[in-house]
Amino acid sequence: MARILVLGAGPMGLAAAHRAVGLGHEVDLLEAGAVAGGMAAHFDFDGTSIERFYHFVCRSDAPTFALMEELGIGDRMCWMPTSMGYFMGGRVHRWGDPLALLAFPHLGLVSKIRTGLQMFVTTRARDFAAIEHLTAREWLEHGSGRTVYETLWRRLMDLKFHELADGISASWIATRIRRVGTSRRSIFQEELGYIEGGSETLVQALVQAIEAKGGRIHLGDAAAAVETKGGHVVAVRTQSGRRYAADAVISTVPVQLVPELVPDLPQAAKDAYAAIPNMGVVCLLFRLARPVTRHFWVNIVDPEIPIPGIIEFSNLRPLDGTFVYVPYYMPTTNSKWSWGDDAFVDEAFAAIRRVNPTLTDGDLRGVRVGRLRYAQPVCGPDFLAKLPPVQTAIGGLQVADTCFYYPEDRGIAESVRMGRRMAEDMTAKGPVDA
C-alpha cells in the first residue's frame, strides 16, 4: 500500500483519489477551495443548488456513466430533448438539424450543402489525425467555405479566444462538434443529459465513497510545495504548514501553478508548463422570471453584442425558474478582466435583452458571478506533441490538468478517464518501490 497525495478536488482529482483508494492505497486529497468539485461544484442560489459553471452530458460520455453505476447512482442520469439557436440579424434562428440548416437565411445553398456535409462527416469520424496539423479556421474554410467561417464562426472564435483565435486546433474544434453531434435521438433531435440534482450528486457520491474506504479529504488547505529527495517525491507541504509524507503525488491543479509548486522539476518541464496558454473566465448566472428562448444554447453572432452566446440551463435541467449562464472567456491580461462584477452584469443583461426584447428589468430576479484564472486551455495544432509526459522526471510525481484531455475539451467524462488512468498508472509503476 502506497501513501498517495492527490492535489485538487475537482472531478479529475476526485476520480483519481477514488480509484487509488479502491486499489488499496492510503489517500489524502488536498483542495484549496472550501468545497469539493472544482468547476463542477455547486452553490446555493436563493434556495436552488446549481453549478457555478455550467455542465452537460453527451451520449458519448461513457466514463461518467460507468463511474455512476459503480457508485450506485446510475439511475440519476436524465436525458432531455434540447435545441440550439443562432442569434443573427436581430432574431434567433433554429439550428442543429438539416431542416434548420436549409431554412437558415444567412447562407446560400452551396454554403449550406458544404456545411451540412462537413458536420455529417465530422460526427462519424473515428479520429482527427489527418487534420491535426491544421488550424480550426483552415479546416472550416476548406470544408465549409470562407463565407461560412465569416458568417458563423469568426465572431464566436474572436470572443472566445481573442488574439489567439486564428491558432486554435482543428482537431480540438472537430472533437467538440462530434461530441455534441453524436448526442442525438435522431437526425432531427438533439438530446443532452444532466445528473438529477446536478453535478453535486456525483461529487458528493465520490466524496462519500472515498471517505468510506478510508481516504481523507482536506478542504481549504492548498498545497504549497512538493518535496523531493533523491529524485523522488517524499512529501507535500500545505499553505497552513502541514506536511504530508507521500510515496506518490498526483497533481490535477492547473499546470501553470506547477513550476512554483514543484521547485525541483527540471527547467525544461517548467518552461513547457508555462508555455501552455490558458484563458480565464468570468461566468455570470442569471435567474430570470421568464425564459429568454426555448433553446439550451444560443450562439450570438452580432458585432454589437459583446458575448458569444447564452446557455439557458433551465431548458436542460428542470429548475424553479429560468437560469441563464453568460460566459466571458479572455486572457487575464485583457483589460476587461479587471472589470467589477456590476459592469459585467449590466453588459450581459443588456445582451440578453437584445436576444429577447420583451424582457424587462423586473424580470431579473438575481445574478451571481464566478471567476477562474485558469478555465480554458488554448490548444493549437499538434498540441499533444507540446505537452510534457504525465509522469514527470521526478519519481512518483504525475502532473495533468484539463489540457491533457486533448483533443477532447474539458468535461466530467474526460476528468474521470484521466483521473482513473493516473491512479492506475501510478499503481502499475509501484511508487512504494521507487
Side-chain angles (χ1 to χ4, degrees), residues 50 53-56 82-85 160 176 192 281 283-288 292-300 307-317 319 322-329 352 355 410:
I50 191 169
F53 304 96
Y54 57 91
H55 287 79
F56 60 92
T82 55
S83 60
M84 178 180 174
K160 176 92 180 248
R176 284 174 58 98
L192 299 177
V281 68
C283 188
L284 288 73
L285 176 57
F286 289 88
R287 185 171 192 165
L288 305 176
V292 183
T293 73
R294 63 184 181 84
H295 303 290
F296 168 62
W297 195 297
V298 176
N299 287 323
I300 298 176
I307 61 172
I310 62 172
I311 298 92
E312 198 159 345
F313 197 69
S314 42
N315 286 338
L316 170 64
R317 179 183 160 205
L319 295 164
T322 295
F323 288 82
V324 181
Y325 290 93
V326 180
Y328 285 84
Y329 288 93
I352 290 173
V355 175
R410 307 148 300 154

Side-chain angles (χ1 to χ4, degrees), residues 83-96 100-101 103-106 152 293-295 297-299 301 355:
S83 60
M84 178 180 174
Y86 255 92
F87 181 82
M88 188 182 300
R91 70 183 187 92
V92 177
H93 304 276
R94 190 168 60 89
W95 189 257
L101 177 60
F104 190 70
H106 298 285
L152 298 181
T293 73
R294 63 184 181 84
H295 303 290
W297 195 297
V298 176
N299 287 323
V301 184
V355 175

Side-chain angles (χ1 to χ4, degrees), residues 9-22 27 29 36-38 40 63-64 66-73 195 199-217 412-413 415-417 419-420:
M12 179 163 54
L14 288 168
H18 177 256
R19 184 61 179 139
V21 76
V27 176
L29 175 56
T64 301
L67 179 59
M68 290 177 66
E69 289 294 337
E70 183 179 342
L71 294 169
I73 58 170
I195 301 172
S199 300
E200 184 74 357
T201 298
L202 177 57
V203 169
Q204 288 306 312
L206 279 166
V207 167
Q208 292 165 15
I210 291 167
E211 293 180 337
K213 294 178 181 179
R216 296 174 292 269
I217 299 174
I412 289 177
S415 297
V416 171
R417 180 187 63 80
R420 289 175 67 88

Side-chain angles (χ1 to χ4, degrees), residues 11-296:
M12 179 163 54
L14 288 168
H18 177 256
R19 184 61 179 139
V21 76
L23 290 169
H25 299 297
E26 180 182 343
V27 176
D28 285 278
L29 175 56
L30 307 181
E31 167 56 42
V35 297
M39 290 190 77
H42 276 218
F43 74 106
D44 182 89
F45 195 153
D46 298 334
T48 296
S49 179
I50 191 169
E51 295 92 337
R52 189 169 295 279
F53 304 96
Y54 57 91
H55 287 79
F56 60 92
V57 181
C58 291
R59 288 287 184 182
S60 60
D61 293 350
T64 301
F65 310 144
L67 179 59
M68 290 177 66
E69 289 294 337
E70 183 179 342
L71 294 169
I73 58 170
D75 61 343
R76 305 290 292 275
M77 190 67 236
C78 304
W79 297 96
M80 179 73 71
T82 55
S83 60
M84 178 180 174
Y86 255 92
F87 181 82
M88 188 182 300
R91 70 183 187 92
V92 177
H93 304 276
R94 190 168 60 89
W95 189 257
D97 65 69
L99 294 180
L101 177 60
L102 288 173
F104 190 70
H106 298 285
L107 292 174
L109 181 59
V110 172
S111 292
K112 292 176 181 179
I113 292 172
R114 292 181 66 179
T115 298
L117 181 61
Q118 185 173 33
M119 298 303 104
F120 178 82
V121 171
T122 300
T123 59
R124 281 154 178 76
R126 296 185 61 183
D127 62 61
F128 300 106
I131 62 172
E132 175 60 21
H133 63 291
L134 298 176
T135 66
R137 179 175 181 174
E138 290 170 338
W139 175 67
L140 289 163
E141 287 187 349
H142 177 76
S144 297
R146 181 170 297 179
T147 297
V148 171
Y149 185 83
E150 294 293 331
T151 303
L152 298 181
W153 290 95
R154 174 181 279 281
R155 180 69 174 167
L156 302 180
M157 297 292 281
D158 285 348
L159 286 175
K160 176 92 180 248
F161 295 107
H162 301 265
E163 64 269 22
L164 302 177
D166 283 347
I168 303 304
S169 161
S171 296
W172 180 84
I173 199 72
T175 303
R176 284 174 58 98
I177 292 169
R178 180 180 62 184
R179 177 174 178 247
V180 176
T182 54
S183 193
R184 308 188 70 84
R185 180 181 296 176
S186 71
I187 193 172
F188 297 105
Q189 182 59 66
E190 175 186 274
E191 190 171 60
L192 299 177
Y194 65 93
I195 301 172
E196 183 183 344
S199 300
E200 184 74 357
T201 298
L202 177 57
V203 169
Q204 288 306 312
L206 279 166
V207 167
Q208 292 165 15
I210 291 167
E211 293 180 337
K213 294 178 181 179
R216 296 174 292 269
I217 299 174
H218 310 274
L219 301 175
D221 196 10
V226 176
E227 297 180 3
T228 72
K229 183 177 181 180
H232 196 280
V233 298
V234 294
V236 174
R237 284 187 293 104
T238 71
Q239 291 181 359
S240 69
R242 295 191 65 181
R243 184 179 185 273
Y244 296 87
D247 300 306
V249 173
I250 296 174
S251 175
T252 69
V253 303
V255 295
Q256 290 78 13
L257 305 178
V258 170
E260 183 176 352
L261 184 63
V262 192
D264 294 337
L265 273 173
Q267 189 60 46
K270 293 181 180 180
D271 293 344
Y273 294 134
I276 298 171
N278 200 301
M279 295 284 176
V281 68
V282 179
C283 188
L284 288 73
L285 176 57
F286 289 88
R287 185 171 192 165
L288 305 176
R290 294 187 290 138
V292 183
T293 73
R294 63 184 181 84
H295 303 290
F296 168 62

Side-chain angles (χ1 to χ4, degrees), residues 375-410:
Q376 174 65 70
V378 182
C379 306
D382 299 311
F383 182 76
L384 197 61
K386 303 170 186 175
L387 291 176
V390 172
Q391 173 58 57
T392 69
I394 294 175
L397 174 63
Q398 290 188 338
V399 170
D401 70 357
T402 57
C403 70
F404 283 77
Y405 303 171
Y406 180 85
E408 296 285 351
D409 196 14
R410 307 148 300 154

